[in-house]
């Protein structure tokens, strides 16, 4: 109900002029002027597209097979192996760019953690991944609900005490001598004597047992000098007390440290454990952790080390700016890593490497952590990831020999994507032919993927290069580089319209910053400064700190300069422009106008809220949440703030709490947005038809409150949808018509649905055609229209959907079903396989599994079932199919 259709902003065709991006670098010196657009520099410098990076990601050739293997192993593995399997699943989803799925895998790794170290690592990783959601903790607290925060654990209670059996005090070697010595023994330390129970002390460890009851001279002594063993009289007295009670009183850290060192020296495991637990409870700051971690590693105190590790991980990523912390992680040898992280060393350095790579992939810290990751890798799949990631970092650091060895190791272990790194290195050394042959060999040996053709295109020219880029897009339309290269090439050939059309193809379903930057450059070259301003303002909305031209110039500076060359709008002009763009479903244009309005308009809360709605429609959830938080910060009143808090809670999965915020807001003042939020949250969380009347009443209350036509159109549209669900089609049609009268374009879709339900398919088709004409090249509109026509027109519309947005899965499923109906089983499976190659979707996998079952290919069906359940473990139809297919396995 919140979604609107996406439409690219129209482009103005003007005379091409060349532009020198270096002139932007004169900004800081105040040397820029409009004449900079007319410098004699070639256009190549403006529309340069850099080669795509070799990504430090785990990218198996057949991710479906890997996901299926993981699912199968999870069904039969031991408890302590599960977290590692979920970590591998996380890496697969990360390679596919599936953010929600990878977070779920981390959550499973945390839930299935079998040790405290795994809990610490995966809890910290989830906290790091969800750091944008932390501000909602106070909102949940205000609703009397706890935020799922991965706070500090009580390490001592998480690690069970290992009961050390009392050492046998009977020694056959010394049974005769033991009858001639006292039951007590005095330890002399610097002139002071501490009397202890001989057998209690002997029971602390085998060395003490041997010394006091064995075949040594000390066994006959009643006074033993311990002055040279690093223990003070106070420390020895406390050890004596511990030997009787097995408890340590509240001691100072210095005394505990002294006893810990002594206990480790004499192998007093129970005493050492007790000291470690006492010290662990005292670790409350990063400096505490730094000071005590070294000792914990030296003295092999796992409890203390875990407590220190927890503090470091809880402070990610900031703690990696601390040289002392980095030194601890960087210098840890295998034994020390085992003390610090138990059997989770690989998981720990996976996390540390990821955080370090995000901060600076070329840094020494990143390289060092990845070296530790390589050392910690145990099985073949872990080695594939570790070798490849370190190879990517060495390549970035221009350490070519080391990089080649690592890529070779990763490739030998089975990570085929690492051939991309080896090809780059061959090209760097001047052997592009070898690079081309490497990729050709991979393409001929494996089922080809889009990245293979993209990589091969880097080592050819002319028609061959163009063909490879075309094939790359065909196999994986999510790859950015082919679109950018083709668009830049066309612009250099002064085919301006074709260049814009090409870059708009990818921007139609992926609002990638680098693609927006390229289109910004195109508009500069065309002197279409208004459109250039639109793109740079969209960039700043998505990423306020973004830097353009390979990081040399802040986007905000370029925005300031372009701003000087456009006609300035008044506040009234901006509202008119926003209304026009919103009504024509031009979301990028709307974002740009709102960005401009935020510089001067006093009602910033409302504007940030509008911005968040647009960002959600453009599938930019992180930016949308940032805008919602800014809306809350700039709310003009308490009741307005409560509405924004409600949306924050709702959008983070807390519907009931969002509903509570709406009710709080209404209790203060009846407002459109509060009623709308309450109606929306209620309709989305309650599928009971009895709630329809309440939702209708709330939307009617909203429409009675003051608001602008943009939001009222949305409310009328939602009200129409509820009426349709109630079967009140005439009332629904009235709502949609009212929405269309105030130019809420999406209402055409609702009205089409009403026509269809009244069995007037032609009217429904015509209604959707009107939407397509207004919204221009809208994939979702074509998809919806395909439901209202015969098969031939349906196929044409769905082909258009795939062209405009290849990530939409319905067209592939429909075409595959048609082929299956025509007994073209192989072609049907190929149609689904085409999409599955770049889109991990449970519906696609479910349908292909059903097709495989139909033709009797049980192993393939079972593979797809398992992979699909990795994507959605709770998909009921998938579970049923999996059980049925699994029962057919021989």
């Amino acid at each position: 109900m919140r979604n609107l259709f996406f439409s690219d902003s129209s482009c103005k065709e003007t005379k091409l002029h060349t532009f020198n991006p270096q002139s932007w670098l004169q900004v800081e010196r105040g040397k820029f002027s409009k004449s900079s657009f007319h410098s004699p520099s070639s256009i190549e410098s403006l529309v340069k597209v850099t080669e795509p990076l070799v990504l430090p990601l785990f990218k198996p050739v057949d991710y479906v097979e890997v996901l299926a293997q993981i699912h199968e192993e999870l069904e039969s593995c031991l408890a302590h192996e599960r977290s590692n399997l979920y970590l591998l699943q996380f890496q697969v989803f990360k390679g596919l760019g599936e953010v929600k799925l990878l977070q779920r895998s981390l959550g499973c790794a945390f839930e299935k953690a079998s040790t405290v170290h795994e809990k610490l690592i995966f809890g910290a990783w989830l906290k790091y991944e969800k750091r944008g959601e932390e501000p909602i903790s106070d909102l949940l607290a205000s609703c009397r609900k706890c935020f799922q925060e991965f706070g500090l654990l009580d390490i001592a209670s998480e690690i069970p005490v290992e009961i050390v059996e009392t050492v046998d005090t009977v020694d056959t070697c010394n049974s005769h001598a033991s009858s001639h010595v006292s039951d007590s023994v005095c330890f002399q330390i610097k002139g002071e004597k501490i009397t202890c129970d001989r057998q209690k002390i002997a029971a602390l460890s085998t060395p003490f047992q041997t010394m006091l009851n064995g075949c040594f001279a000390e066994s006959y002594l009643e006074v033993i000098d311990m002055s040279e063993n690093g223990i003070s009289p106070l420390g020895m007295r406390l050890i004596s007390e511990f030997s009787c009670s097995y408890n340590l009183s509240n001691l100072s850290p210095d005394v505990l440290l002294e006893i810990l060192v002594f206990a480790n020296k004499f192998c007093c495991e129970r005493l050492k454990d007790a000291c470690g637990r006492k010290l662990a409870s005292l670790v409350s700051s990063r400096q505490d952790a730094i000071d005590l971690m070294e000792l914990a590693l030296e003295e092999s105190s796992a409890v203390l080390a875990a407590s220190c590790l927890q503090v470091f991980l809880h402070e990610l990523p900031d703690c990696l700016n601390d040289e002392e912390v980095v030194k601890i992680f960087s210098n840890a040898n295998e034994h020390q890593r085992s003390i610090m992280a138990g059997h989770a060393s690989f998981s720990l350095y996976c996390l540390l490497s990821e955080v370090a790579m995000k901060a600076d992939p070329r840094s020494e810290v990143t390289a060092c952590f990845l070296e530790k990751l390589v050392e910690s890798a145990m099985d073949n799949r872990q080695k594939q990831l570790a070798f490849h990631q370190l190879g990517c970092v060495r390549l970035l650091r221009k350490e070519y020999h080391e990089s080649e060895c690592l890529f070779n190791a990763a490739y030998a272990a089975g990570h085929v994507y690492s051939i991309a790194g080896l090809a780059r290195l061959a090209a760097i050394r001047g052997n592009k032919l070898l690079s081309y042959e490497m990729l050709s060999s991979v393409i001929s040996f494996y089922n080809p993927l889009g990245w293979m053709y993209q990589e091969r295109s880097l080592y050819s020219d002319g028609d061959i290069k163009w063909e490879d880029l075309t094939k790359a897009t065909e196999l994986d339309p999510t790859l950015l580089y082919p679109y950018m290269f083709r668009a830049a090439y066309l612009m250099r050939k002064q085919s301006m319209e074709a260049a814009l059309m090409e870059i708009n193809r990818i921007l139609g379903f992926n609002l990638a910053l680098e693609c927006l930057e390229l289109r910004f450059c195109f508009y500069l070259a065309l002197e279409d400064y208004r459109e250039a301003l639109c793109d740079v303002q969209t960039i700043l909305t998505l990423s306020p700190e973004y830097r353009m031209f390979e990081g040399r110039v802040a986007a905000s500076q370029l925005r300031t300069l372009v701003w000087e060359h456009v006609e300035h709008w008044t506040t009234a002009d901006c509202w008119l422009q926003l209304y026009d763009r919103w009504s024509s479903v031009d979301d990028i244009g709307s974002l740009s106008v709102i960005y401009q309005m935020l510089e001067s308009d006093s009602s910033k809360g409302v504007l940030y809220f509008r911005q968040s709605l647009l960002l959600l429609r453009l599938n930019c959830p992180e930016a949308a949440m940032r805008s919602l938080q800014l809306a809350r910060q700039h709310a003009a009143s308490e009741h307005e703030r409560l509405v924004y808090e409600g949306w924050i809670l709702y959008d983070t999965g807390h519907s009931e709490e969002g509903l509570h915020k709406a009710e709080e807001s209404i209790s203060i003042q009846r407002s459109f947005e509060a009623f709308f939020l309450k109606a929306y949250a209620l309709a989305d969380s309650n599928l009971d038809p009895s709630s329809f009347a309440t939702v209708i009443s709330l939307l009617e209350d909203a429409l009675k409150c003051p608001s602008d036509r943009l939001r009222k159109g949305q409310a009328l549209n939602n009200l129409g949808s509820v009426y349709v669900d109630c079967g009140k089609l005439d009332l629904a049609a009235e709502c949609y018509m009212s929405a269309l009268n105030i130019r809420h374009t999406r209402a055409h879709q609702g009205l089409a649905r009403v026509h269809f339900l009244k069995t007037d398919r032609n009217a429904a088709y015509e209604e959707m055609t009107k939407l397509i004409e207004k919204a221009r090249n809208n994939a979702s509109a074509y998809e919806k229209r395909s439901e209202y026509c015969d098969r031939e027109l349906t196929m044409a519309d769905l082909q258009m959907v795939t062209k405009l947005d290849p990530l939409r899965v319905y067209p592939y499923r429909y075409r595959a079903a048609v082929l299956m109906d025509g007994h073209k089983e192989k072609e049907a499976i190929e149609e689904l396989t085409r999409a599955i190659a770049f889109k991990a979707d449970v519906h696609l996998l479910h349908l292909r599994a059903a097709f495989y079952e139909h033709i009797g290919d049980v192993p393939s069906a079972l593979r797809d079932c398992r992979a699909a359940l990795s994507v959605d473990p709770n998909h009921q139809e998938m579970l049923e199919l999996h059980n049925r297919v699994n029962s057919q396995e021989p």
Side-chain angles (χ1 to χ4, degrees), residues 734-751:
E734 288 179 16
C735 288
Y736 291 132
M737 290 301 297
S738 297
L740 289 171
N741 288 337
I742 55 175
R743 297 174 63 189
H744 185 74
T745 310
R746 191 190 181 196
H748 282 296
Q749 179 170 320
L751 193 54

Tab-separated table of all heavy atoms in Angstrom, residues 734-751:
chain	number	residue	atom	x	y	z
A	734	GLU	N	-15.384	4.742	-6.455
A	734	GLU	CA	-15.524	6.159	-6.110
A	734	GLU	C	-14.236	6.703	-5.483
A	734	GLU	O	-13.807	7.819	-5.798
A	734	GLU	CB	-16.690	6.340	-5.132
A	734	GLU	CG	-18.066	6.145	-5.753
A	734	GLU	CD	-19.181	6.307	-4.726
A	734	GLU	OE1	-18.897	6.856	-3.636
A	734	GLU	OE2	-20.321	5.869	-5.008
A	735	CYS	N	-13.652	5.918	-4.597
A	735	CYS	CA	-12.394	6.343	-3.962
A	735	CYS	C	-11.285	6.512	-5.001
A	735	CYS	O	-10.547	7.514	-4.998
A	735	CYS	CB	-11.963	5.321	-2.909
A	735	CYS	SG	-12.958	5.331	-1.425
A	736	TYR	N	-11.164	5.538	-5.896
A	736	TYR	CA	-10.108	5.620	-6.906
A	736	TYR	C	-10.331	6.808	-7.842
A	736	TYR	O	-9.372	7.505	-8.214
A	736	TYR	CB	-10.046	4.309	-7.704
A	736	TYR	CG	-9.546	3.134	-6.899
A	736	TYR	CD1	-10.230	1.906	-6.915
A	736	TYR	CD2	-8.395	3.217	-6.135
A	736	TYR	CE1	-9.779	0.815	-6.191
A	736	TYR	CE2	-7.932	2.132	-5.401
A	736	TYR	CZ	-8.629	0.941	-5.424
A	736	TYR	OH	-8.185	-0.132	-4.703
A	737	MET	N	-11.564	7.060	-8.212
A	737	MET	CA	-11.859	8.201	-9.082
A	737	MET	C	-11.528	9.516	-8.374
A	737	MET	O	-10.981	10.443	-8.978
A	737	MET	CB	-13.332	8.183	-9.506
A	737	MET	CG	-13.693	7.051	-10.468
A	737	MET	SD	-12.731	7.096	-12.008
A	737	MET	CE	-13.285	8.680	-12.673
A	738	SER	N	-11.870	9.595	-7.084
A	738	SER	CA	-11.546	10.800	-6.314
A	738	SER	C	-10.028	10.992	-6.251
A	738	SER	O	-9.524	12.123	-6.347
A	738	SER	CB	-12.120	10.701	-4.901
A	738	SER	OG	-13.522	10.636	-4.923
A	739	ALA	N	-9.295	9.893	-6.076
A	739	ALA	CA	-7.831	9.985	-6.041
A	739	ALA	C	-7.281	10.448	-7.386
A	739	ALA	O	-6.370	11.279	-7.447
A	739	ALA	CB	-7.237	8.626	-5.664
A	740	LEU	N	-7.845	9.924	-8.470
A	740	LEU	CA	-7.389	10.333	-9.798
A	740	LEU	C	-7.708	11.794	-10.069
A	740	LEU	O	-6.954	12.486	-10.766
A	740	LEU	CB	-8.029	9.442	-10.870
A	740	LEU	CG	-7.501	7.998	-10.922
A	740	LEU	CD1	-8.350	7.163	-11.858
A	740	LEU	CD2	-6.040	7.979	-11.358
A	741	ASN	N	-8.796	12.280	-9.505
A	741	ASN	CA	-9.164	13.688	-9.697
A	741	ASN	C	-8.150	14.640	-9.074
A	741	ASN	O	-8.040	15.796	-9.489
A	741	ASN	CB	-10.558	13.962	-9.115
A	741	ASN	CG	-11.654	13.349	-9.965
A	741	ASN	OD1	-11.462	13.099	-11.162
A	741	ASN	ND2	-12.821	13.090	-9.363
A	742	ILE	N	-7.414	14.137	-8.069
A	742	ILE	CA	-6.345	14.972	-7.498
A	742	ILE	C	-4.974	14.428	-7.914
A	742	ILE	O	-3.980	14.575	-7.221
A	742	ILE	CB	-6.467	15.092	-5.968
A	742	ILE	CG1	-6.515	13.714	-5.306
A	742	ILE	CG2	-7.675	15.917	-5.574
A	742	ILE	CD1	-6.518	13.766	-3.774
A	743	ARG	N	-4.990	13.721	-9.048
A	743	ARG	CA	-3.780	13.291	-9.744
A	743	ARG	C	-2.936	12.301	-8.945
A	743	ARG	O	-1.711	12.335	-8.980
A	743	ARG	CB	-2.940	14.496	-10.146
A	743	ARG	CG	-3.640	15.412	-11.142
A	743	ARG	CD	-2.827	16.665	-11.408
A	743	ARG	NE	-1.559	16.339	-12.025
A	743	ARG	CZ	-0.574	17.235	-12.198
A	743	ARG	NH1	-0.752	18.487	-11.802
A	743	ARG	NH2	0.555	16.882	-12.773
A	744	HIS	N	-3.592	11.409	-8.221
A	744	HIS	CA	-2.866	10.303	-7.597
A	744	HIS	C	-2.829	9.158	-8.608
A	744	HIS	O	-3.734	8.328	-8.696
A	744	HIS	CB	-3.546	9.859	-6.305
A	744	HIS	CG	-2.764	8.803	-5.576
A	744	HIS	ND1	-1.607	9.081	-4.891
A	744	HIS	CD2	-2.958	7.461	-5.458
A	744	HIS	CE1	-1.123	7.965	-4.372
A	744	HIS	NE2	-1.927	6.963	-4.705
A	745	THR	N	-1.777	9.115	-9.367
A	745	THR	CA	-1.704	8.279	-10.564
A	745	THR	C	-1.855	6.796	-10.277
A	745	THR	O	-2.421	6.052	-11.081
A	745	THR	CB	-0.366	8.536	-11.282
A	745	THR	OG1	-0.192	9.935	-11.424
A	745	THR	CG2	-0.336	7.874	-12.637
A	746	ARG	N	-1.381	6.352	-9.133
A	746	ARG	CA	-1.426	4.921	-8.862
A	746	ARG	C	-2.859	4.394	-8.761
A	746	ARG	O	-3.095	3.186	-8.869
A	746	ARG	CB	-0.682	4.623	-7.566
A	746	ARG	CG	-0.468	3.128	-7.368
A	746	ARG	CD	0.041	2.823	-5.991
A	746	ARG	NE	0.254	1.386	-5.838
A	746	ARG	CZ	0.400	0.778	-4.675
A	746	ARG	NH1	0.341	1.480	-3.571
A	746	ARG	NH2	0.607	-0.512	-4.611
A	747	ALA	N	-3.811	5.288	-8.543
A	747	ALA	CA	-5.203	4.856	-8.425
A	747	ALA	C	-5.704	4.173	-9.690
A	747	ALA	O	-6.696	3.436	-9.645
A	747	ALA	CB	-6.094	6.050	-8.082
A	748	HIS	N	-5.044	4.391	-10.835
A	748	HIS	CA	-5.424	3.671	-12.058
A	748	HIS	C	-5.340	2.156	-11.824
A	748	HIS	O	-6.169	1.399	-12.342
A	748	HIS	CB	-4.498	4.056	-13.210
A	748	HIS	CG	-4.812	5.389	-13.821
A	748	HIS	ND1	-5.997	5.664	-14.469
A	748	HIS	CD2	-4.063	6.529	-13.890
A	748	HIS	CE1	-5.980	6.909	-14.915
A	748	HIS	NE2	-4.824	7.450	-14.575
A	749	GLN	N	-4.347	1.721	-11.053
A	749	GLN	CA	-4.190	0.284	-10.819
A	749	GLN	C	-5.358	-0.248	-9.999
A	749	GLN	O	-5.890	-1.329	-10.298
A	749	GLN	CB	-2.871	0.013	-10.090
A	749	GLN	CG	-2.650	-1.457	-9.792
A	749	GLN	CD	-1.251	-1.754	-9.288
A	749	GLN	OE1	-0.282	-1.178	-9.778
A	749	GLN	NE2	-1.140	-2.636	-8.319
A	750	GLY	N	-5.766	0.490	-8.977
A	750	GLY	CA	-6.903	0.056	-8.174
A	750	GLY	C	-8.182	0.032	-8.971
A	750	GLY	O	-8.989	-0.917	-8.862
A	751	LEU	N	-8.368	1.054	-9.810
A	751	LEU	CA	-9.579	1.107	-10.627
A	751	LEU	C	-9.587	-0.038	-11.642
A	751	LEU	O	-10.645	-0.624	-11.927
A	751	LEU	CB	-9.668	2.458	-11.335
A	751	LEU	CG	-11.008	2.818	-11.982
A	751	LEU	CD1	-12.155	2.706	-10.980
A	751	LEU	CD2	-10.943	4.224	-12.577
